[in-house]
Amino acid sequence: MQQVVESVAPTERVAMKKTILMCRPEHFTVSYRINPWMHPEDPTDTSLAVRQWERLYEIYLGLGFDVELIDPIAGLPDMVYAANGGFTLDGIAYGAKFQYDERGPEGPAYMDWFRSHGFRVAEPVSVNEGEGDFLLVGDRILAGTGFRSDAASHDELRKLFGREVVTLTLVDPSFYHLDTAIAVLDTDSRDGQGNIAYLPKAFSPESREIIQTLYPDAVVVNDEDAAVLGLNSFSDGRNVVIAARAVGFEQSLRDRGYTPIGVDLSELLLGGGGVKCCTLELRR
Ligand code: ARG
């Protein structure tokens, strides 16, 4: 008799080569408080921050990414969070305009870098913190507001890139940038839609509904994993670099055929940032 073996074909994840921009945390410290993670009264260890960052840098090189670097500037301790430096797509860099004065000078510094590295720079009119709040998923841009980027910046994005821009409202101060509450798992999946992981409680009820409709298959991450900024991760479609302590998220990724790679950025977490914050994608 013939035996019927039921088999589920594992999803074959395809890695895309990424080009990214990073900034060595040579001047990293916590000297002001602009998010609930930051405690200026607690000590920081800049050399440990650099070592942990270097590990991330090496992981990216190991994955075959092109990693470009911007020179860190003394007096700008948050410059390591390159994701906030702008948003790039189709050779255009939409510059950042920071909510808090402490980070203000980073905007022009990153725009100068874009200009001298093959981008047409669009100067921002509205407050926006770059890829911290804007995530490209498939052909669509998810755009956060509520704490940092102004909703008016979403209109600027629409005009500039001619893509669908979906506004999502963040409501939990610990998850103040969109990239702390949503992880992009694949930008270019076969159906062109891509997929994400997210923390539902970080969003307003209306935004939660939008996310459920757009991504019925999204990975839902639990509070413990989100609390170590597990969602603040970077995926090439197959390999997902995440906070090593986000063990539940790591398992969900494995179950879905991704290869999670854990990294410890405990020192940069003191500034309220993780893997994704240190990574700005360059799309020329
Ligand atoms: N201390 C920085 C701030 O509050 C952290 C930025 C984290 N970056 C990010 N893309 N989420 O602005």
Side-chain angles (χ1 to χ4, degrees):
M1 258 237 298
Q2 219 188 341
Q3 224 191 326
V4 180
V5 181
E6 227 186 292
S7 77
V8 183
T11 316
E12 191 55 52
R13 302 287 173 192
V14 183
M16 308 284 291
K17 181 173 172 170
K18 297 287 186 181
T19 301
I20 58 174
L21 177 62
M22 296 179 78
C23 180
R24 193 182 300 274
E26 272 162 38
H27 306 291
F28 172 75
T29 187
V30 176
S31 53
Y32 49 80
R33 181 175 165 94
I34 57 172
N35 71 53
W37 304 78
M38 302 173 87
H39 298 283
E41 63 282 9
D42 293 346
T44 50
D45 181 341
T46 306
S47 66
L48 177 58
V50 170
R51 285 199 302 280
Q52 292 181 336
W53 177 94
E54 271 168 357
R55 179 76 198 108
L56 177 65
Y57 175 72
E58 274 155 23
I59 289 171
Y60 285 150
L61 292 181
L63 290 174
F65 295 4
D66 277 335
V67 186
E68 304 184 32
L69 295 171
I70 181 171
D71 287 335
I73 298 173
L76 296 177
D78 276 340
M79 198 171 165
V80 56
Y81 305 115
N84 300 124
F87 177 80
T88 73
L89 185 58
D90 304 331
I92 301 171
Y94 175 46
K97 186 169 169 177
F98 285 84
Q99 169 83 249
Y100 295 105
D101 290 347
E102 289 88 340
R103 298 195 68 184
E106 292 183 46
Y110 275 92
M111 281 190 263
D112 285 348
W113 189 92
F114 294 132
R115 241 174 240 119
S116 54
H117 290 81
F119 286 93
R120 179 164 87 70
V121 171
E123 298 255 357
V125 177
S126 316
V127 168
N128 84 85
E129 299 196 352
E131 223 174 47
D133 274 325
F134 307 143
L135 299 172
L136 182 71
V137 193
D139 296 326
R140 145 190 320 137
I141 300 169
L142 301 182
T145 187
F147 294 100
R148 301 291 179 91
S149 300
D150 199 293
S153 68
H154 303 180
D155 294 327
E156 282 184 60
L157 274 182
R158 262 177 216 114
K159 287 199 193 94
L160 205 50
F161 297 106
R163 308 268 179 129
E164 180 192 0
V165 176
V166 177
T167 293
L168 298 172
T169 304
L170 295 160
V171 296
D172 183 329
S174 291
F175 305 99
Y176 55 94
H177 275 141
L178 191 64
D179 71 357
T180 64
I182 286 186
V184 181
L185 298 181
D186 26 40
T187 340
D188 309 279
S189 67
R190 281 178 208 104
D191 58 5
Q193 292 297 305
N195 200 15
I196 63 162
Y198 75 114
L199 176 70
K201 74 163 191 197
F203 295 93
S204 70
E206 298 76 25
S207 296
R208 230 177 286 158
E209 252 176 62
I210 294 173
I211 296 172
Q212 276 161 7
T213 308
L214 292 177
Y215 306 102
D217 199 30
V219 177
V220 174
V221 165
N222 66 34
D223 289 3
E224 291 73 42
D225 291 340
V228 292
L229 286 189
L231 283 166
N232 196 249
S233 57
F234 192 75
S235 170
D236 66 5
R238 178 189 177 95
N239 306 287
V240 190
V241 185
I242 63 167
R245 286 193 277 161
V247 288
F249 184 34
E250 181 183 339
Q251 190 53 52
S252 310
L253 289 170
R254 277 192 209 290
D255 293 346
R256 288 174 180 241
Y258 295 98
T259 307
I261 301 170
V263 61
D264 178 15
L265 293 181
S266 61
E267 205 53 30
L268 293 165
L269 197 59
L270 301 177
V275 172
K276 176 65 187 72
C277 299
C278 297
T279 313
L280 175 69
E281 189 158 355
L282 298 173
R283 306 175 188 94
R284 292 189 176 89

